[in-house]
Amino acid sequence: MLTEQEPQGPESDSVVRRLSELAQQSARCAPACCGAVATIADGGTERRTTATHPDLAALASVQLDLGDGPIPTALDRGEPVDTEDLLNEERWPRYRALALDSGVRASMTIPFCRAGMEVTVSLYSFRPGSLERAAYGPVGVLGEQTTASLVRDRRYREALAEVGQLETALRSRAVIDQASGIVMHVLRCDSDEAFAVLRQMSQRTNRKLAEVAEAVVRSRGRGLESTLARFAPRP
């Protein structure tokens, strides 16, 4: 069973799905593991958590709420944090008590940080000392590959957004150029003066420049002679 916490954030459904797969596959990769938690935060966004069992989701929540536990410690240090036997663990008393109540005796938290993205995988076991090599086996490889893939996906989405913005800007520029030509014809002015008229209309009517230009183009300047003249620079 998979349990997810639902903080608001920019992560897409595909990111959530990848995080869930990471938790499930990590749990299967470690023979002594009874379950796993995966978390992600991208560029300071709220951290999303996925767990293979509700009790483990609670273990993650108490750590993130308090800022204290193997997950925050691993992120601070940038290296795996191993709790060999929670019965002998003196750190993180709230986390320790909740883990022992859940029957957890050992855990291993592995951080993966790349290009501002922070991913963690935490493995849990009922047997003490059973996860000490987990960070250096398939789970470590899987975490690195998943984090790298998530970073590539984010960069791809950013590139698509940038292309969309450029296309919008080009379309707006074309409309503004058309409107400037109409203003030049109506007022018998040059291009700089025509653009200044459009800008004045935008500022004084509290409308975007592209919206003003679209209105001028739609009307082809008809009926706007007096309006355009009112916004023309004074000689």
Side-chain angles (χ1 to χ4, degrees):
M1 178 172 59
L2 204 64
T3 301
E4 297 178 5
Q5 296 179 358
E6 297 292 344
Q8 297 299 314
E11 293 88 0
S12 66
D13 290 342
S14 63
V15 173
V16 177
R17 185 167 58 252
R18 296 293 297 280
L19 193 67
S20 299
E21 291 172 354
L22 176 60
Q24 293 173 321
Q25 292 172 1
S26 296
R28 290 195 291 266
C29 284
C33 181
C34 65
V37 169
T39 77
I40 186 173
D42 190 359
T45 61
E46 191 170 0
R47 185 166 295 277
R48 181 179 290 274
T49 303
T50 301
T52 58
H53 191 278
D55 287 350
L56 301 182
L59 282 181
S61 293
V62 72
Q63 296 179 67
L64 299 177
D65 290 345
L66 296 174
D68 190 34
I71 294 175
T73 301
L75 288 169
D76 288 343
R77 294 180 179 176
E79 60 185 26
V81 173
D82 182 16
T83 56
E84 294 185 5
D85 189 349
L86 283 167
L87 282 180
N88 302 321
E89 180 62 65
E90 297 181 355
R91 298 170 293 178
W92 324 303
R94 290 278 297 277
Y95 162 77
R96 174 181 180 271
L98 187 59
L100 290 174
D101 284 345
S102 302
V104 171
R105 289 287 300 273
S107 69
M108 169 68 76
T109 297
I110 313 163
F112 306 94
C113 303
R114 181 178 295 199
M117 181 176 290
E118 295 180 339
V119 175
T120 69
V121 175
S122 297
L123 306 176
Y124 299 88
S125 176
F126 298 133
R127 291 161 40 201
S130 57
L131 299 171
E132 58 183 355
R133 301 298 302 171
Y136 309 101
V139 176
V141 175
L142 180 63
E144 289 286 359
Q145 291 177 341
T146 300
T147 303
S149 178
L150 289 170
V151 170
R152 286 195 299 271
D153 290 348
R154 182 193 64 189
R155 288 172 175 165
Y156 178 68
R157 292 193 300 271
E158 291 172 348
L160 287 181
E162 185 175 352
V163 169
Q165 292 168 358
L166 289 173
E167 290 177 345
T168 300
L170 288 173
R171 287 194 297 268
S172 298
R173 183 72 254 180
V175 172
I176 292 169
D177 288 343
Q178 284 182 278
S180 294
I182 293 171
V183 175
M184 290 169 64
H185 176 74
V186 171
L187 299 181
R188 300 293 190 271
C189 63
D190 62 25
S191 60
D192 289 341
E193 292 172 330
F195 182 77
V197 168
L198 294 174
R199 187 171 57 188
Q200 283 293 317
M201 292 177 66
S202 171
Q203 293 172 349
R204 295 187 188 181
T205 60
N206 197 29
R207 298 163 65 194
K208 293 181 179 179
L209 182 59
E211 293 176 1
V212 171
E214 287 173 359
V216 172
V217 170
R218 281 196 303 270
S219 69
R220 299 180 182 275
R222 298 189 184 101
L224 293 179
E225 292 84 353
S226 60
T227 300
L228 294 174
R230 189 168 71 250
F231 289 105
R234 300 301 178 188

